[in-house]
Amino acid sequence: MFWRTRDREKQSSKENVDASTAAGHSEQTVADILPQPPKLLHYGLPLQVRCLASDPLHGTVAVGCLHGEVKLFARSGAEVLLGPQHHSPVLHLVFAPLCGKLVVVHSPNNVCTWALHPIPTLDTAVPLPQTLTSELITVACLAPLSSIVLFGTDKGSVRAYDAESSHFSPWSLRSSSGSASTASALCALEPNPTLSQRLLVGERSGRLRVFDAD
């Protein structure tokens, strides 16, 4: 994982110091001896936290902030700042541990996918498909044992995004039976952990629906 870069840099710095001493170079400054931190290393929080997410597999916590930054806290204590790809609030964060990705949704509807191994790098940054430009993402979750991220919208639809390939699926589910203009916004998506094709959808109107995605 990315926080191990600091350990590698310490080891590399130690090897350089040992080699330099062995060669007879005794004049070294403190800056020469101390390891340099990773470029992304950062401490503290950017302005105004907007959302949180955790990776249960690796123990990483992600914090989305007002101006588009994402802060990562590793289990080891390392802190890494991902610079904003869109200078707009981060609305949703979803880890996809099986493919080592982090999906970030910026306001109003921009999706960025970060690859976390071996160090965090931007994989893709894409807007929503044209069919979704009139909708806003209101909830996001990961389908069990997959790299599929499910997005619920304010028009009552559910869309699928593959974090591994960075592509949206052409299919969608419509929660409400009425038209898009009268549909209730979605506030919860809960896949069944044992039957991944079953999806529980919660609407802000208070209604619950169960879908069979197969």
Side-chain angles (χ1 to χ4, degrees):
M1 285 294 290
F2 57 84
W3 55 84
R4 293 178 183 168
T5 56
R6 183 160 58 183
D7 297 332
R8 288 197 295 270
E9 289 187 7
K10 287 182 179 179
Q11 180 64 26
S12 176
S13 176
K14 182 179 183 299
E15 291 173 354
N16 291 338
V17 172
D18 293 342
S20 176
T21 303
H25 298 288
S26 58
E27 294 183 1
Q28 292 179 320
T29 65
V30 174
D32 294 328
I33 298 174
L34 292 179
Q36 296 299 312
K39 292 182 179 180
L40 295 176
L41 201 63
H42 177 273
Y43 296 98
L45 278 175
L47 183 64
Q48 293 190 21
V49 173
R50 302 302 296 267
C51 57
L52 298 168
S54 62
D55 180 353
L57 183 61
H58 299 104
T60 307
V61 175
V63 179
C65 299
L66 177 64
H67 297 302
E69 304 94 339
V70 176
K71 185 67 179 288
L72 300 179
F73 294 89
R75 180 183 295 168
S76 65
E79 302 179 18
V80 173
L81 181 68
L82 307 182
Q85 300 304 308
H86 297 276
H87 294 276
S88 58
V90 177
L91 301 180
H92 306 284
L93 296 166
V94 180
F95 280 99
L98 293 184
C99 61
K101 302 288 183 68
L102 172 65
V103 178
V104 182
V105 180
H106 293 265
S107 176
N109 272 340
N110 292 293
V111 178
C112 294
T113 304
W114 288 82
L116 301 179
H117 305 277
I119 61 174
T121 54
L122 181 66
D123 192 20
T124 55
V126 296
L128 292 187
Q130 289 294 326
T131 55
L132 269 176
T133 53
S134 62
E135 302 183 36
L136 295 176
I137 296 175
T138 54
V139 63
C141 74
L142 182 71
L145 302 176
S146 74
S147 61
I148 303 299
V149 177
L150 301 176
F151 294 133
T153 75
D154 63 336
K155 302 299 183 183
S157 66
V158 180
R159 306 283 177 148
Y161 174 78
D162 189 347
E164 187 168 15
S165 64
S166 301
H167 285 97
F168 280 90
S169 171
W171 65 265
S172 66
L173 294 175
R174 179 67 62 178
S175 175
S176 298
S177 57
S179 64
S181 60
T182 61
S184 176
L186 303 186
C187 61
L189 296 174
E190 292 293 338
N192 188 311
T194 57
L195 296 173
S196 58
Q197 72 273 18
R198 291 285 178 84
L199 179 66
L200 177 65
V201 177
E203 302 179 5
R204 288 182 180 171
S205 63
R207 186 184 320 181
L208 290 175
R209 292 173 177 263
V210 177
F211 285 93
D212 192 331
D214 282 351

